[in-house]
Amino acid sequence: MSGADGVKRYDPEFTKRVYKMDNGKWVKMCMQCGICPTTCTLRDIMDHSPRRIIQLIRAGDKEQVLKSNTLWLCTSCYTCACRCPRGVPMMDVMHDLRHLAEEEGYITNQSHMAKVYYNDVAKRGRIWEGGLTMKYGLKIGIGNALKMAREMQDVGMEMLKHKRLSIFPPKGVKNPAKLRAVLQKAAALAKEEG
Amino acid sequence: MKYNYFPGCASEGTALANYHAFLAVAKKLGIELNEIEDWNCCGATVTSSVIGEFPAQVLAARNLALAEKQQRDTDIVTTCSSCYAILGLTNNKFADEEFKKKANEALKEDELEYTGNLNVRFLLDVLVNDIGVEKIEAAAEKPLKGLKVAGYVGCQSVKALRGHYDDPEYPESLDKIIRALGAEAVEFENSNKCCTGALALTAPEITVSAVHPIIDGAAKAGADLIVTPCPLCQMNLDAYQAKANKQFQTNNNLPVLFITQLMALAFGLSRKEAGLDYCIVSPYQKLSNWV
């Protein structure tokens, strides 16, 4: 329970904010039938099922939603979307929620990776897979990075041995500055709409 | 057959095998591939969490605009299931005039514009529906007789754009190609389960637990190897197989190839053209008759 200091746990403004996001209309469409958790690969290790996330959004339980590992465990496999009787693209809702969680400062390994990934896109226009893991390692802190290096060295060595991780970045787009200008303009347009 | 080709970032690293094998196979089948000049990362399913849904869609749309600028009225083909999902879903958004106007306003910063008139196609779709299994069968100079192949389609390849070219729950296109190459397509348990995609990088323990039942299912069904069209599926099943064996005390030894690699072999192309050296679980024993 997050309302220990008398801070209101249920915040209707949060519900409204999610409704206004790109996929907010789908949150309203859900009829809580529960088919999504029955199809979900990682339901067993999610702290809240996808169905429950929708319920928590409607209730305005901002903290429970934004700190939930569900947002980041969704693999975007689209299986639940195939079976949802209302056609709700749950992963798109999760993508919106991740963005909100990022803005509100909820940090996870996956959000670190997303940042590193995006930085590469913004800098070069393309992903340098070999560099991704290294930059991610820097982001999660030295202790975690060393642990990862130890646990993953077998996979990493095999990937290197079979020439599947380039040591140097492949070429990016010709003019990354223009690509960034496009993204900035898009962000401004999205903001205008609120 | 002519296409605007979107290779995607994996084709420059983890999925180099797919890149080379597809080019070789396409040549053999008379497919003209024109790589989209100056393409950028599609953004995958992670970018929107940093910059929001609309800017992420515009990032993907830049590729659609570049493709149209390069060759009008020519379909885009991609070999990556994630790129397919992102580019295809973004392309669908262009049916909405308001979205189109807004997206083009942003694309103008790079002197680009997109009408929404192209189709985004996945490799399997093009192979089965444009080229056709008969032509693939005819090109298979060295049919893979006696080889048992577990076709693992992956999720985004068929489930993101539902009903575009195959059944999302019971996909058939991959098995059709396997059979056209002369191999036996084996049914196996957990063939429709997710490999957990990019979680492999941030939560490898989850991926190991997820790939194990898929690999094990294929092994128990008697498969000699697994094929997939998807770069992330290929990497997870191949690179994490040893870890899965260790954790679950199994001795599975299933090579995991891209479907394009298997096609290259059946087409009589060399081991180099098929990119077999990129495979982590060695495929040479199982494929000794064809290499």
Side-chain angles (χ1 to χ4, degrees), chain A residues 104-163:
Chain A
E104 297 278 333
Y106 291 84
I107 305 295
T108 62
N109 281 356
Q110 288 77 30
S111 69
H112 279 314
M113 179 53 93
K115 273 238 165 68
V116 166
Y117 189 100
Y118 173 69
N119 289 345
D120 219 20
V121 173
K123 189 176 161 200
R124 309 174 48 255
R126 289 185 197 172
I127 295 302
W128 169 31
E129 292 174 319
L132 217 54
T133 326
M134 278 187 271
K135 287 182 222 158
Y136 169 69
L138 293 175
K139 199 109 187 167
I140 57 176
I142 185 79
N144 291 331
L146 286 173
K147 186 168 169 275
M148 179 179 80
R150 213 169 36 242
E151 284 168 7
M152 294 302 290
Q153 65 171 331
D154 49 352
V155 172
M157 287 311 285
E158 288 293 337
M159 293 293 281
L160 280 171
K161 200 171 113 194
H162 293 274
K163 301 191 174 59

Short mmCIF file of all heavy atoms in Angstrom, two decimals, chain A residues 104-163:
data_model
loop_
_atom_site.label_atom_id
_atom_site.label_comp_id
_atom_site.label_asym_id
_atom_site.label_seq_id
_atom_site.Cartn_x
_atom_site.Cartn_y
_atom_site.Cartn_z
N GLU A 104 8.15 9.11 -15.31
CA GLU A 104 7.95 9.24 -13.86
C GLU A 104 9.14 8.70 -13.08
O GLU A 104 9.10 8.62 -11.86
CB GLU A 104 6.67 8.51 -13.45
CG GLU A 104 5.41 9.08 -14.08
CD GLU A 104 4.87 10.30 -13.34
OE1 GLU A 104 5.12 10.42 -12.13
OE2 GLU A 104 4.24 11.15 -13.99
N GLY A 105 10.17 8.25 -13.80
CA GLY A 105 11.40 7.85 -13.13
C GLY A 105 11.43 6.44 -12.57
O GLY A 105 12.21 6.14 -11.68
N TYR A 106 10.58 5.55 -13.05
CA TYR A 106 10.66 4.15 -12.62
C TYR A 106 11.70 3.44 -13.49
O TYR A 106 11.55 3.37 -14.71
CB TYR A 106 9.31 3.45 -12.77
CG TYR A 106 8.27 3.94 -11.80
CD1 TYR A 106 7.53 5.08 -12.08
CD2 TYR A 106 8.04 3.27 -10.60
CE1 TYR A 106 6.57 5.56 -11.19
CE2 TYR A 106 7.08 3.73 -9.70
CZ TYR A 106 6.35 4.88 -10.01
OH TYR A 106 5.41 5.34 -9.13
N ILE A 107 12.76 2.96 -12.85
CA ILE A 107 13.89 2.41 -13.60
C ILE A 107 13.93 0.88 -13.51
O ILE A 107 13.77 0.31 -12.43
CB ILE A 107 15.22 2.97 -13.04
CG1 ILE A 107 15.21 4.50 -13.03
CG2 ILE A 107 16.41 2.42 -13.81
CD1 ILE A 107 15.17 5.16 -14.38
N THR A 108 14.14 0.23 -14.62
CA THR A 108 14.34 -1.22 -14.64
C THR A 108 15.50 -1.52 -15.59
O THR A 108 15.93 -0.64 -16.33
CB THR A 108 13.10 -1.96 -15.19
OG1 THR A 108 12.89 -1.53 -16.55
CG2 THR A 108 11.85 -1.69 -14.38
N ASN A 109 15.98 -2.75 -15.58
CA ASN A 109 17.02 -3.14 -16.54
C ASN A 109 16.55 -2.89 -17.96
O ASN A 109 17.29 -2.44 -18.82
CB ASN A 109 17.34 -4.64 -16.40
CG ASN A 109 18.25 -4.90 -15.21
OD1 ASN A 109 18.68 -3.97 -14.55
ND2 ASN A 109 18.53 -6.16 -14.97
N GLN A 110 15.26 -3.21 -18.18
CA GLN A 110 14.73 -3.07 -19.54
C GLN A 110 14.64 -1.59 -19.94
O GLN A 110 14.85 -1.25 -21.11
CB GLN A 110 13.36 -3.73 -19.65
CG GLN A 110 13.39 -5.26 -19.65
CD GLN A 110 13.61 -5.84 -18.25
OE1 GLN A 110 13.22 -5.25 -17.26
NE2 GLN A 110 14.24 -6.99 -18.18
N SER A 111 14.35 -0.72 -18.97
CA SER A 111 14.27 0.70 -19.34
C SER A 111 15.68 1.23 -19.62
O SER A 111 15.87 2.09 -20.48
CB SER A 111 13.55 1.52 -18.27
OG SER A 111 14.30 1.63 -17.08
N HIS A 112 16.67 0.71 -18.89
CA HIS A 112 18.06 1.07 -19.19
C HIS A 112 18.40 0.67 -20.63
O HIS A 112 18.99 1.43 -21.39
CB HIS A 112 19.02 0.32 -18.26
CG HIS A 112 19.16 0.97 -16.91
ND1 HIS A 112 19.36 2.31 -16.75
CD2 HIS A 112 19.16 0.44 -15.67
CE1 HIS A 112 19.45 2.59 -15.45
NE2 HIS A 112 19.33 1.47 -14.77
N MET A 113 18.03 -0.56 -20.98
CA MET A 113 18.34 -1.06 -22.32
C MET A 113 17.63 -0.22 -23.38
O MET A 113 18.20 0.12 -24.42
CB MET A 113 17.93 -2.54 -22.44
CG MET A 113 18.18 -3.15 -23.80
SD MET A 113 19.87 -2.96 -24.41
CE MET A 113 20.61 -4.49 -23.85
N ALA A 114 16.37 0.14 -23.10
CA ALA A 114 15.60 0.95 -24.05
C ALA A 114 16.32 2.28 -24.31
O ALA A 114 16.42 2.73 -25.45
CB ALA A 114 14.19 1.17 -23.53
N LYS A 115 16.84 2.88 -23.24
CA LYS A 115 17.54 4.17 -23.37
C LYS A 115 18.80 4.02 -24.21
O LYS A 115 19.07 4.82 -25.12
CB LYS A 115 17.95 4.68 -21.98
CG LYS A 115 16.86 5.48 -21.31
CD LYS A 115 17.37 6.90 -20.95
CE LYS A 115 16.22 7.82 -20.62
NZ LYS A 115 15.54 7.45 -19.37
N VAL A 116 19.58 2.98 -23.90
CA VAL A 116 20.81 2.73 -24.62
C VAL A 116 20.51 2.50 -26.11
O VAL A 116 21.19 3.01 -27.00
CB VAL A 116 21.52 1.50 -24.01
CG1 VAL A 116 22.60 0.98 -24.92
CG2 VAL A 116 22.08 1.83 -22.65
N TYR A 117 19.45 1.75 -26.34
CA TYR A 117 19.03 1.43 -27.70
C TYR A 117 18.64 2.71 -28.44
O TYR A 117 19.11 2.98 -29.55
CB TYR A 117 17.83 0.47 -27.62
CG TYR A 117 17.39 -0.13 -28.93
CD1 TYR A 117 17.76 -1.43 -29.27
CD2 TYR A 117 16.57 0.56 -29.82
CE1 TYR A 117 17.35 -2.01 -30.46
CE2 TYR A 117 16.15 -0.01 -31.02
CZ TYR A 117 16.54 -1.29 -31.32
OH TYR A 117 16.13 -1.87 -32.50
N TYR A 118 17.81 3.51 -27.77
CA TYR A 118 17.37 4.74 -28.43
C TYR A 118 18.54 5.69 -28.69
O TYR A 118 18.61 6.32 -29.75
CB TYR A 118 16.28 5.46 -27.61
CG TYR A 118 15.99 6.80 -28.23
CD1 TYR A 118 15.35 6.88 -29.47
CD2 TYR A 118 16.42 7.98 -27.63
CE1 TYR A 118 15.15 8.10 -30.09
CE2 TYR A 118 16.21 9.21 -28.25
CZ TYR A 118 15.58 9.26 -29.48
OH TYR A 118 15.38 10.45 -30.10
N ASN A 119 19.46 5.78 -27.73
CA ASN A 119 20.61 6.66 -27.92
C ASN A 119 21.39 6.29 -29.18
O ASN A 119 21.89 7.16 -29.89
CB ASN A 119 21.54 6.60 -26.70
CG ASN A 119 20.93 7.29 -25.49
OD1 ASN A 119 19.96 8.03 -25.62
ND2 ASN A 119 21.47 7.02 -24.32
N ASP A 120 21.48 4.99 -29.43
CA ASP A 120 22.18 4.54 -30.63
C ASP A 120 21.42 4.96 -31.90
O ASP A 120 22.01 5.41 -32.87
CB ASP A 120 22.32 3.00 -30.59
CG ASP A 120 23.66 2.54 -31.13
OD1 ASP A 120 24.60 3.35 -31.18
OD2 ASP A 120 23.77 1.35 -31.51
N VAL A 121 20.10 4.82 -31.83
CA VAL A 121 19.26 5.23 -32.96
C VAL A 121 19.45 6.72 -33.23
O VAL A 121 19.67 7.14 -34.37
CB VAL A 121 17.76 4.93 -32.69
CG1 VAL A 121 16.89 5.52 -33.80
CG2 VAL A 121 17.52 3.44 -32.59
N ALA A 122 19.41 7.51 -32.16
CA ALA A 122 19.50 8.96 -32.32
C ALA A 122 20.89 9.37 -32.79
O ALA A 122 21.05 10.32 -33.55
CB ALA A 122 19.15 9.65 -31.01
N LYS A 123 21.90 8.65 -32.34
CA LYS A 123 23.27 9.04 -32.68
C LYS A 123 23.65 8.62 -34.10
O LYS A 123 24.27 9.37 -34.84
CB LYS A 123 24.22 8.37 -31.68
CG LYS A 123 25.65 8.85 -31.77
CD LYS A 123 26.49 8.20 -30.68
CE LYS A 123 27.96 8.31 -31.03
NZ LYS A 123 28.76 7.32 -30.30
N ARG A 124 23.27 7.37 -34.46
CA ARG A 124 23.75 6.81 -35.72
C ARG A 124 22.65 6.45 -36.71
O ARG A 124 22.91 6.23 -37.89
CB ARG A 124 24.58 5.56 -35.45
CG ARG A 124 25.67 5.74 -34.39
CD ARG A 124 26.36 4.44 -34.07
NE ARG A 124 26.75 3.75 -35.29
CZ ARG A 124 26.13 2.68 -35.78
NH1 ARG A 124 25.14 2.15 -35.15
NH2 ARG A 124 26.55 2.16 -36.90
N GLY A 125 21.43 6.34 -36.20
CA GLY A 125 20.32 5.96 -37.08
C GLY A 125 20.13 4.46 -37.18
O GLY A 125 19.10 3.99 -37.63
N ARG A 126 21.16 3.73 -36.76
CA ARG A 126 21.05 2.27 -36.77
C ARG A 126 21.66 1.72 -35.49
O ARG A 126 22.46 2.39 -34.84
CB ARG A 126 21.82 1.66 -37.96
CG ARG A 126 21.16 1.93 -39.28
CD ARG A 126 21.88 1.21 -40.41
NE ARG A 126 21.49 1.80 -41.67
CZ ARG A 126 22.05 1.49 -42.84
NH1 ARG A 126 23.03 0.62 -42.88
NH2 ARG A 126 21.63 2.05 -43.95
N ILE A 127 21.27 0.49 -35.18
CA ILE A 127 21.77 -0.13 -33.96
C ILE A 127 23.07 -0.87 -34.22
O ILE A 127 23.19 -1.61 -35.19
CB ILE A 127 20.72 -1.13 -33.42
CG1 ILE A 127 19.46 -0.40 -32.99
CG2 ILE A 127 21.29 -1.92 -32.24
CD1 ILE A 127 19.69 0.66 -31.94
N TRP A 128 24.01 -0.63 -33.33
CA TRP A 128 25.25 -1.41 -33.35
C TRP A 128 25.10 -2.44 -32.23
O TRP A 128 25.29 -2.13 -31.06
CB TRP A 128 26.45 -0.49 -33.10
CG TRP A 128 27.73 -1.21 -32.83
CD1 TRP A 128 28.11 -2.42 -33.32
CD2 TRP A 128 28.81 -0.75 -32.01
NE1 TRP A 128 29.36 -2.75 -32.85
CE2 TRP A 128 29.80 -1.76 -32.05
CE3 TRP A 128 29.02 0.40 -31.25
CZ2 TRP A 128 31.00 -1.63 -31.34
CZ3 TRP A 128 30.20 0.52 -30.54
CH2 TRP A 128 31.19 -0.48 -30.60
N GLU A 129 24.72 -3.65 -32.63
CA GLU A 129 24.39 -4.67 -31.63
C GLU A 129 25.55 -4.98 -30.70
O GLU A 129 25.37 -5.20 -29.51
CB GLU A 129 23.92 -5.95 -32.32
CG GLU A 129 22.58 -5.79 -33.02
CD GLU A 129 22.21 -7.02 -33.83
OE1 GLU A 129 23.10 -7.61 -34.47
OE2 GLU A 129 21.05 -7.40 -33.79
N GLY A 130 26.76 -5.00 -31.29
CA GLY A 130 27.93 -5.30 -30.47
C GLY A 130 28.13 -4.28 -29.35
O GLY A 130 28.50 -4.64 -28.23
N GLY A 131 27.87 -3.03 -29.66
CA GLY A 131 28.07 -1.97 -28.68
C GLY A 131 26.95 -1.86 -27.65
O GLY A 131 27.14 -1.32 -26.56
N LEU A 132 25.80 -2.40 -28.02
CA LEU A 132 24.62 -2.28 -27.17
C LEU A 132 24.86 -2.87 -25.78
O LEU A 132 24.58 -2.23 -24.77
CB LEU A 132 23.47 -3.03 -27.85
CG LEU A 132 22.07 -2.45 -27.75
CD1 LEU A 132 22.03 -1.02 -28.21
CD2 LEU A 132 21.09 -3.28 -28.57
N THR A 133 25.40 -4.09 -25.76
CA THR A 133 25.62 -4.78 -24.49
C THR A 133 26.63 -4.01 -23.64
O THR A 133 26.46 -3.88 -22.43
CB THR A 133 26.14 -6.20 -24.75
OG1 THR A 133 25.53 -6.68 -25.94
CG2 THR A 133 25.81 -7.11 -23.61
N MET A 134 27.67 -3.50 -24.30
CA MET A 134 28.70 -2.76 -23.56
C MET A 134 28.11 -1.51 -22.92
O MET A 134 28.31 -1.25 -21.74
CB MET A 134 29.83 -2.36 -24.51
CG MET A 134 30.84 -3.47 -24.74
SD MET A 134 32.21 -2.85 -25.69
CE MET A 134 31.66 -3.12 -27.36
N LYS A 135 27.36 -0.76 -23.71
CA LYS A 135 26.78 0.48 -23.19
C LYS A 135 25.74 0.20 -22.11
O LYS A 135 25.60 0.94 -21.14
CB LYS A 135 26.17 1.29 -24.34
CG LYS A 135 27.24 1.92 -25.23
CD LYS A 135 26.59 2.74 -26.33
CE LYS A 135 27.27 2.52 -27.65
NZ LYS A 135 26.45 2.85 -28.80
N TYR A 136 25.03 -0.90 -22.29
CA TYR A 136 24.06 -1.33 -21.28
C TYR A 136 24.79 -1.66 -19.98
O TYR A 136 24.36 -1.28 -18.88
CB TYR A 136 23.29 -2.53 -21.80
CG TYR A 136 22.43 -3.25 -20.79
CD1 TYR A 136 21.28 -2.66 -20.27
CD2 TYR A 136 22.75 -4.54 -20.36
CE1 TYR A 136 20.50 -3.32 -19.35
CE2 TYR A 136 21.97 -5.22 -19.45
CZ TYR A 136 20.83 -4.60 -18.95
OH TYR A 136 20.06 -5.26 -18.04
N GLY A 137 25.93 -2.33 -20.12
CA GLY A 137 26.75 -2.67 -18.95
C GLY A 137 27.16 -1.44 -18.16
O GLY A 137 27.12 -1.42 -16.93
N LEU A 138 27.52 -0.37 -18.87
CA LEU A 138 27.91 0.87 -18.20
C LEU A 138 26.74 1.48 -17.45
O LEU A 138 26.89 2.10 -16.41
CB LEU A 138 28.43 1.89 -19.23
CG LEU A 138 29.75 1.54 -19.93
CD1 LEU A 138 30.06 2.56 -21.00
CD2 LEU A 138 30.88 1.47 -18.91
N LYS A 139 25.56 1.28 -17.99
CA LYS A 139 24.36 1.90 -17.44
C LYS A 139 23.89 1.21 -16.14
O LYS A 139 23.34 1.86 -15.26
CB LYS A 139 23.27 1.81 -18.52
CG LYS A 139 22.14 2.75 -18.34
CD LYS A 139 22.16 3.85 -19.37
CE LYS A 139 21.07 4.85 -19.03
NZ LYS A 139 21.19 6.07 -19.76
N ILE A 140 24.07 -0.10 -16.06
CA ILE A 140 23.51 -0.81 -14.90
C ILE A 140 24.45 -0.82 -13.70
O ILE A 140 24.15 -1.39 -12.66
CB ILE A 140 23.10 -2.27 -15.25
CG1 ILE A 140 24.28 -3.06 -15.82
CG2 ILE A 140 21.93 -2.28 -16.22
CD1 ILE A 140 23.96 -4.53 -16.10
N GLY A 141 25.61 -0.18 -13.83
CA GLY A 141 26.54 -0.10 -12.69
C GLY A 141 27.56 -1.22 -12.73
O GLY A 141 27.29 -2.31 -13.22
N ILE A 142 28.72 -0.93 -12.15
CA ILE A 142 29.86 -1.83 -12.29
C ILE A 142 29.61 -3.22 -11.70
O ILE A 142 29.93 -4.24 -12.31
CB ILE A 142 31.15 -1.16 -11.71
CG1 ILE A 142 32.39 -2.03 -11.96
CG2 ILE A 142 31.01 -0.83 -10.24
CD1 ILE A 142 32.91 -1.90 -13.36
N GLY A 143 28.99 -3.27 -10.54
CA GLY A 143 28.73 -4.56 -9.89
C GLY A 143 27.85 -5.46 -10.75
O GLY A 143 28.18 -6.61 -11.03
N ASN A 144 26.73 -4.89 -11.21
CA ASN A 144 25.81 -5.65 -12.06
C ASN A 144 26.46 -6.02 -13.38
O ASN A 144 26.23 -7.11 -13.92
CB ASN A 144 24.54 -4.84 -12.34
CG ASN A 144 23.69 -4.69 -11.10
OD1 ASN A 144 23.71 -5.55 -10.22
ND2 ASN A 144 22.97 -3.59 -11.00
N ALA A 145 27.27 -5.10 -13.90
CA ALA A 145 27.92 -5.34 -15.19
C ALA A 145 28.90 -6.51 -15.08
O ALA A 145 28.98 -7.36 -15.97
CB ALA A 145 28.64 -4.09 -15.67
N LEU A 146 29.65 -6.55 -13.98
CA LEU A 146 30.61 -7.65 -13.79
C LEU A 146 29.88 -8.98 -13.64
O LEU A 146 30.29 -10.00 -14.19
CB LEU A 146 31.48 -7.39 -12.55
CG LEU A 146 32.54 -6.31 -12.73
CD1 LEU A 146 33.24 -6.01 -11.40
CD2 LEU A 146 33.58 -6.75 -13.78
N LYS A 147 28.77 -8.93 -12.91
CA LYS A 147 27.96 -10.15 -12.73
C LYS A 147 27.46 -10.64 -14.10
O LYS A 147 27.54 -11.82 -14.42
CB LYS A 147 26.78 -9.82 -11.82
CG LYS A 147 25.94 -11.01 -11.43
CD LYS A 147 24.98 -10.62 -10.28
CE LYS A 147 23.94 -11.71 -10.04
NZ LYS A 147 22.78 -11.61 -10.91
N MET A 148 26.99 -9.67 -14.91
CA MET A 148 26.48 -10.03 -16.24
C MET A 148 27.60 -10.62 -17.08
O MET A 148 27.42 -11.63 -17.75
CB MET A 148 25.89 -8.78 -16.93
CG MET A 148 25.37 -9.05 -18.33
SD MET A 148 24.65 -7.57 -19.12
CE MET A 148 26.12 -6.73 -19.69
N ALA A 149 28.78 -9.97 -17.02
CA ALA A 149 29.91 -10.44 -17.82
C ALA A 149 30.27 -11.87 -17.44
O ALA A 149 30.58 -12.70 -18.30
CB ALA A 149 31.11 -9.51 -17.63
N ARG A 150 30.23 -12.14 -16.15
CA ARG A 150 30.57 -13.48 -15.68
C ARG A 150 29.55 -14.51 -16.17
O ARG A 150 29.88 -15.56 -16.70
CB ARG A 150 30.62 -13.47 -14.14
CG ARG A 150 31.65 -14.41 -13.56
CD ARG A 150 31.89 -14.20 -12.06
NE ARG A 150 30.72 -13.85 -11.30
CZ ARG A 150 30.58 -12.71 -10.63
NH1 ARG A 150 31.55 -11.82 -10.64
NH2 ARG A 150 29.50 -12.46 -9.92
N GLU A 151 28.28 -14.16 -15.95
CA GLU A 151 27.22 -15.12 -16.30
C GLU A 151 27.03 -15.29 -17.80
O GLU A 151 26.58 -16.33 -18.25
CB GLU A 151 25.89 -14.67 -15.67
CG GLU A 151 25.84 -14.95 -14.18
CD GLU A 151 24.67 -14.26 -13.50
OE1 GLU A 151 23.83 -13.67 -14.20
OE2 GLU A 151 24.62 -14.32 -12.26
N MET A 152 27.38 -14.26 -18.55
CA MET A 152 27.08 -14.31 -19.99
C MET A 152 28.32 -14.51 -20.86
O MET A 152 28.23 -14.47 -22.08
CB MET A 152 26.38 -13.01 -20.40
CG MET A 152 25.01 -12.83 -19.80
SD MET A 152 23.91 -14.20 -20.21
CE MET A 152 23.67 -13.89 -21.95
N GLN A 153 29.47 -14.74 -20.23
CA GLN A 153 30.68 -14.81 -21.06
C GLN A 153 30.64 -15.98 -22.04
O GLN A 153 31.16 -15.89 -23.15
CB GLN A 153 31.94 -14.84 -20.20
CG GLN A 153 32.09 -16.05 -19.32
CD GLN A 153 33.48 -16.09 -18.67
OE1 GLN A 153 34.43 -15.59 -19.24
NE2 GLN A 153 33.55 -16.66 -17.49
N ASP A 154 29.99 -17.09 -21.64
CA ASP A 154 29.89 -18.23 -22.56
C ASP A 154 29.12 -17.85 -23.84
O ASP A 154 29.58 -18.10 -24.96
CB ASP A 154 29.25 -19.45 -21.88
CG ASP A 154 27.95 -19.11 -21.13
OD1 ASP A 154 27.63 -17.91 -21.01
OD2 ASP A 154 27.27 -20.05 -20.69
N VAL A 155 27.98 -17.19 -23.64
CA VAL A 155 27.18 -16.77 -24.81
C VAL A 155 27.96 -15.74 -25.63
O VAL A 155 28.06 -15.85 -26.86
CB VAL A 155 25.82 -16.19 -24.36
CG1 VAL A 155 25.08 -15.57 -25.54
CG2 VAL A 155 24.96 -17.27 -23.70
N GLY A 156 28.55 -14.77 -24.94
CA GLY A 156 29.29 -13.71 -25.62
C GLY A 156 30.45 -14.24 -26.44
O GLY A 156 30.65 -13.83 -27.59
N MET A 157 31.20 -15.18 -25.85
CA MET A 157 32.35 -15.74 -26.56
C MET A 157 31.92 -16.48 -27.83
O MET A 157 32.56 -16.36 -28.88
CB MET A 157 33.14 -16.70 -25.65
CG MET A 157 33.94 -16.04 -24.54
SD MET A 157 34.96 -14.66 -25.10
CE MET A 157 36.27 -15.56 -25.93
N GLU A 158 30.84 -17.24 -27.71
CA GLU A 158 30.34 -17.97 -28.89
C GLU A 158 29.87 -17.00 -29.98
O GLU A 158 30.12 -17.22 -31.17
CB GLU A 158 29.18 -18.90 -28.50
CG GLU A 158 29.59 -20.13 -27.70
CD GLU A 158 30.43 -21.12 -28.52
OE1 GLU A 158 30.35 -21.09 -29.75
OE2 GLU A 158 31.18 -21.90 -27.89
N MET A 159 29.21 -15.92 -29.55
CA MET A 159 28.74 -14.93 -30.52
C MET A 159 29.93 -14.30 -31.24
O MET A 159 29.90 -14.10 -32.46
CB MET A 159 27.90 -13.84 -29.83
CG MET A 159 26.58 -14.31 -29.26
SD MET A 159 25.37 -14.83 -30.49
CE MET A 159 24.75 -13.25 -31.07
N LEU A 160 30.97 -13.99 -30.48
CA LEU A 160 32.17 -13.39 -31.08
C LEU A 160 32.87 -14.38 -32.01
O LEU A 160 33.26 -14.04 -33.12
CB LEU A 160 33.15 -12.95 -29.98
CG LEU A 160 32.83 -11.62 -29.30
CD1 LEU A 160 33.74 -11.41 -28.09
CD2 LEU A 160 32.98 -10.44 -30.27
N LYS A 161 32.99 -15.61 -31.52
CA LYS A 161 33.68 -16.65 -32.29
C LYS A 161 32.99 -16.87 -33.65
O LYS A 161 33.66 -17.14 -34.64
CB LYS A 161 33.65 -17.95 -31.47
CG LYS A 161 34.68 -18.98 -31.87
CD LYS A 161 34.72 -20.12 -30.86
CE LYS A 161 34.22 -21.40 -31.49
NZ LYS A 161 33.92 -22.44 -30.49
N HIS A 162 31.69 -16.76 -33.66
CA HIS A 162 30.96 -16.99 -34.90
C HIS A 162 30.66 -15.68 -35.64
O HIS A 162 29.73 -15.61 -36.44
CB HIS A 162 29.70 -17.79 -34.62
CG HIS A 162 29.99 -19.19 -34.17
ND1 HIS A 162 30.18 -20.22 -35.06
CD2 HIS A 162 30.19 -19.72 -32.94
CE1 HIS A 162 30.46 -21.33 -34.39
NE2 HIS A 162 30.47 -21.06 -33.10
N LYS A 163 31.43 -14.66 -35.30
CA LYS A 163 31.39 -13.36 -36.01
C LYS A 163 30.00 -12.73 -36.05
O LYS A 163 29.58 -12.15 -37.04
CB LYS A 163 31.90 -13.53 -37.44
CG LYS A 163 33.31 -14.06 -37.52
CD LYS A 163 33.83 -13.94 -38.94
CE LYS A 163 35.29 -14.31 -39.07
NZ LYS A 163 35.59 -15.70 -38.65
#
